[in-house]
Amino acid sequence: FLQVFLVEKAGRRSLFLAGLMGMLISAVAMTVGLVLLSQFAWMSYISMVAIFLFVIFFEVGPGPIPWFIVAELFSQGPRPAAIAVAGFCNWACNFIVGMCFQYIADLCGPYVFAIFAALLLLFFLFAYFKVPETKGKSFEEIAAVFRRKKLSAKAMTELQDLRASEEA
């Protein structure tokens, strides 16, 4: 319930990025805790705190925020299909992680959460560079942000083509 009020005050993108970074730090802490567990018995407490923080940060950002963003990125016509695809992807990934985690844990040992940390870093970078803030913006304003990015990428490609032809 807190998330409903927090998302309107802090913004979707900032909460999403904060959640991803918190999960990344928690995954690294879990990895460190598991690696050093045989040397220091108290590392089990570090791992437990990291797990709780991982869940808390998930509930602040990557848990609820994508549903807000998906609903705001699409106009009324394609929105139901987009939400259905997002839901399918969400549950498919949950299923894959749930089915494969034990095998990956057996294979990687205490470094199993390093895989999650690496993926979270990639997700953070993608969200930082590609996901716009949607708080308080209409669909048309959000679409204009994507059009500008597309146009600037096209302009850069044309500029590179011009430079290549000048050098030849």
Side-chain angles (χ1 to χ4, degrees), residues 30-44 110-111:
M30 282 188 270
T31 302
V32 170
L34 289 173
V35 168
L36 299 176
L37 185 60
S38 61
Q39 297 171 352
F40 305 103
W42 54 269
M43 279 298 195
S44 63
Y111 297 98

Side-chain angles (χ1 to χ4, degrees), residues 18-162:
L20 287 172
M21 186 53 68
M23 289 173 66
L24 171 62
I25 292 167
S26 299
V28 169
M30 282 188 270
T31 302
V32 170
L34 289 173
V35 168
L36 299 176
L37 185 60
S38 61
Q39 297 171 352
F40 305 103
W42 54 269
M43 279 298 195
S44 63
Y45 297 112
I46 299 296
S47 295
M48 285 190 299
V49 168
I51 289 170
F52 290 132
L53 288 174
F54 189 91
V55 172
I56 289 169
F57 280 112
F58 176 81
E59 291 301 326
V60 166
I65 298 300
W67 300 108
F68 286 102
I69 292 174
V70 168
E72 293 171 344
L73 284 182
F74 294 93
S75 64
Q76 196 64 27
R79 186 175 297 154
I83 291 174
V85 169
F88 173 77
C89 290
N90 182 5
W91 284 106
C93 290
N94 287 336
F95 178 77
I96 291 167
V97 169
M99 294 302 291
C100 298
F101 181 80
Q102 188 60 50
Y103 301 111
I104 296 170
D106 292 342
L107 182 67
C108 297
Y111 297 98
V112 67
F113 291 107
I115 296 169
F116 287 97
L119 289 172
L120 285 163
L121 178 61
L122 292 175
F123 298 153
F124 178 86
L125 292 172
F126 175 81
Y128 183 79
F129 289 110
K130 297 292 184 182
V131 176
E133 176 60 69
T134 60
K135 177 185 142 191
K137 293 184 180 175
S138 68
F139 169 74
E140 289 77 20
E141 291 171 320
I142 296 167
V145 169
F146 283 113
R147 277 194 297 274
R148 274 192 304 248
K149 287 182 181 181
K150 185 177 178 182
L151 287 175
S152 65
K154 184 178 178 183
M156 288 303 294
T157 303
E158 290 173 0
L159 183 61
Q160 291 168 349
D161 289 342
L162 286 173

